[in-house]
Every structure is written in C-alpha cells, then in structure tokens.
Amino acid sequence: MNTSSIRQKHKELFGIKEPLLVRSPGRINLIGEHTDYNDGFVFPAAIDKAIWFTASRNDKKLFRFFSFDFDEYFELPVDELSISKVSWANYLLGVADQYKKRGHSLSGVDVVFGGDIPVGAGLSSSAAVENGFALVLNKLFDFQESKIEMVKMAQKAEHEYAGVMCGIMDQFAIMFGKKQQAIRLDCRTLDYEYANINLTGYQIVLCDTKVKHSLVSSAYNQRRKECESGVNLLKQYKPEITALRDADPDLLNKHKAEMDEVVYRRCKYVVEENLRVMEAFKALTQGNIAKLGALMTETHKGLRDDFEVSCKELDILFDFAQSFDGVIGSRMMGGGFGGCTINIVENDKAEAFKNGATKHYKQTTGNTPSIYDVKIMEGTNAVII
Ligand code: GAF
C-alpha cells in the first residue's frame, strides 16, 4: 500500500482527483503502562508506521468508507449514525458521533483509508484511525476543534463504539507526536513535555508475537475496575485520593492487609510504574540509556507478575531479550495479552538480536514473529501533496 494507490482508489470510487490527505501514525510507549486511566504518567511517541486517509465531501448525506486493508466498502446515511456490525467502520462512526454530540452538523463524507500499522500488535492502529478521521472531519467541514478536543473525541469514540474503556495515552501520543521526541504526559492535567530521543548507539526494535488473546478488552476493563476498587479502599483513610496517581508505596503497604490480594498487586504495580516513568524521563534527558533499560525490565516484571497482563508468547520474547548480550531494556508494550515487546538494542548487535529472537520464538511456539524497526515521527497531520 502507498498513498498513490489510496488516492487512485478514491478517484475510482468517488471521482475526486485531489482529495484531502491525512496521515495518522501508530505509537510506541517507552514506559508507563496502564497508568493513563489511573491519572498517572506515560512516556509514548508516534512512529513511522501510519494510516493514510483520502477524504472529500459528498452532497448525498452519506458516509461512504472504503477500507483499503480489508478491501471492503461501507455505506450509511448520515442521519442513521449508530454502532455498526462492521467493526472497522465503528472507529470512524464513533468519531462522527462525537462531533454530532458537540453540536456539529454532519453532512456526507467519502473516505478511503489504509496503512502499514499491524492490527493487534499493540501499536494502536485503532487510535490512529480515530485520530485520523477526527482530523478529516475537522478539516473538511472546518469545525475548528482543537487538537486536545479531537484527542478527547477519539478516546470517547473508542469507549462508546468499540467498548474499550481506554485511557488517553494512545490518542494523545498520536495527535501530539513529534519527530525524534517522546512525550511525557501527565494524564490528569494533560500537561506534557517533549524529550529528545537520542539513543546514540542504540535502536528501538519491536518483536511482534502475532497473537492477540481474546480476553484483551474484557481483561482491560476488569483491570480498570480493580484499580478503582483499590482507590475506594484507600479513600476511606485519605479522602483526597481520587485515583492511584495519588497513592504512594507507604500508604499502600499500610493497608495491604485490608485489601484483596489481587487488588493489592494491581495497585502496587501502578504506584511503582508511575515512579518509574518519572525516573525514566530523567534518565533519558540525561542520556542514561542503561537506566531507562533497567526500568523497562522492571516494568515487564510488574506487568507479568502483579498486573498480570502479559502472556506466554510475550514472556518468551522478553526472556530471550534478557539473555541476549546487547539488549539494554525490554518489555511488553501496550494493553497486553499479545502484541509486541519493545527492545532497546545496541546498533551493531541489532541484526543478530532480530535473527536470534525470530529463531527462538519459532522453536518455542512454532510461529514466526514479525520484527519492526521504528523511528519516532510526527503525529496526525494533513499532508500537502
Ligand atoms: C491500551 C489503551 F488504549 C491505553 O489507554 C493504555 O491504557 C494502554 O493500553 C496500556 O498502557 O493501549
């Protein structure tokens, strides 16, 4: 897939030669996993894998979408906007619905979209689609919504049309991404700071397990509930606690005996992870890649043992990375139960690492992983051709 084939398809289907062109990337996350919906801190970045959209208005009061990757056409009258049985269409319809709820009057829109963000790999292809379509509508109809409003609408689209009660990290990182910069985001205040990703001598390698276990969204929503139940207990002692962001290890340990054992471990992980994000930001800005790597490794252990969102396949890749001389940090990335590990690897050992991980994963699971080199790139934007 390239942008000229999407543009060609747009012309074929809708007869428009020069539609609006929007690029919306995937994201990685250096550290800060499952902290966003606990009002905590995250450290993601937008990448050089993206979904591209061509878009134009139609005067037929129709949503007409073509998914290049699924090779499927979808059509719905604008006045009948509601959740569809076609799951890919929901990521666009959910965004349209948010515009409607903010009082914008929608008319017909024609869209072709597709790209190279692998689905189910934990690189947030869904948020890339939501953000991209948010920008498409904003531009085509001149709705004048700000970037942050588009981020919030994209997040709500995921809640209401995809049923995943996600935090704000993915949509934020994808909208605000900048070349060569990761974003340290405070998910409560939405204050953010960019940090130059200067991994001199190292590169980021993603190893994709190619599995996505079916419990992803139910387990995700379940983790949110467990965190909330920890907050409800701690609140009885410190009413100012409204999210795990407000708790610290001492307070948690003081009330450990009163907590359900599982809830305690979920809270412990989140409280520790928030502290790790702060440390990682400091380490990266000081060029201390070894420290960043060590923190990532701790994160994986917490996600595996306390938060329990890893899986056999991710652990196999993590263990291999741990044993490989030349990997300075490794961990599962994203919501969990499949998807990728993110690895920081010495440049001159990267090829050997990729080959070794592929061979080991094949031998242990019988499946071939996908390996991606990623670069940090700009967030969602309209492209002038
Ligand atoms: C998914 C969610 F969409 C994010 O909001 C975040 O919670 C992440 O899992 C885990 O850190 O990508």
Side-chain angles (χ1 to χ4, degrees), residues 272-329:
E272 290 172 352
E273 180 72 350
N274 270 325
L275 297 172
R276 279 192 287 265
V277 179
M278 310 309 261
E279 280 190 73
F281 180 75
K282 203 165 131 205
L284 192 66
T285 46
Q286 293 170 346
N288 189 349
I289 315 291
K291 175 74 183 171
L292 171 71
L295 290 163
M296 287 169 64
T297 301
E298 286 311 303
T299 294
H300 185 88
K301 292 179 182 163
L303 288 166
R304 182 190 63 194
D305 304 333
D306 290 330
F307 215 67
E308 294 179 291
V309 290
S310 189
C311 61
K312 185 182 80 202
E313 294 85 352
L314 285 166
D315 291 341
I316 287 170
L317 288 171
F318 169 76
D319 290 339
F320 176 79
Q322 287 295 100
S323 70
F324 189 90
D325 177 30
V327 175
I328 204 158

Side-chain angles (χ1 to χ4, degrees), residues 201-205 207 320 324-327 344-359 371-373:
Y202 295 92
Q203 57 186 274
I204 298 172
V205 177
C207 298
F320 176 79
F324 189 90
D325 177 30
V327 175
I344 306 210
V345 191
E346 278 175 39
N347 281 337
D348 53 8
K349 305 224 173 99
E351 275 320 301
F353 169 68
K354 292 181 208 172
N355 293 335
T358 304
K359 191 167 162 214
I371 310 282
Y372 318 116
D373 289 312

Side-chain angles (χ1 to χ4, degrees), residues 27 29 32-37 42 122 124 158 164-171 220 334-336:
R27 65 102 189 89
N29 185 21
E33 221 64 89
H34 288 275
T35 43
D36 58 351
Y37 56 83
V42 293
S124 218
E158 179 88 28
V164 179
M165 297 307 291
C166 64
I168 203 162
M169 170 172 74
D170 299 356
Q171 290 80 3
Y220 185 91

Side-chain angles (χ1 to χ4, degrees), residues 88-103:
W88 64 259
N90 282 326
Y91 296 102
L92 292 89
L93 297 174
V95 171
D97 196 34
Q98 292 304 317
Y99 271 98
K100 197 172 146 198
K101 285 184 173 143
R102 284 181 63 77

Side-chain angles (χ1 to χ4, degrees), residues 111-132:
V111 163
V112 178
F113 72 105
D116 62 356
I117 309 177
V119 174
L123 302 180
S124 218
S125 57
S126 60
V129 172
E130 290 149 359
N131 275 17

Side-chain angles (χ1 to χ4, degrees), residues 112-162:
V112 178
F113 72 105
D116 62 356
I117 309 177
V119 174
L123 302 180
S124 218
S125 57
S126 60
V129 172
E130 290 149 359
N131 275 17
F133 193 57
L135 187 64
V136 160
L137 292 180
N138 211 34
K139 288 261 172 203
L140 275 186
F141 300 101
D142 198 20
F143 286 147
Q144 306 271 335
E145 291 289 0
S146 64
K147 273 183 163 193
I148 195 66
E149 272 315 326
M150 286 192 273
V151 164
K152 290 178 185 167
M153 285 193 277
Q155 182 194 16
K156 282 201 192 129
E158 179 88 28
H159 289 184
E160 294 172 18
Y161 273 62

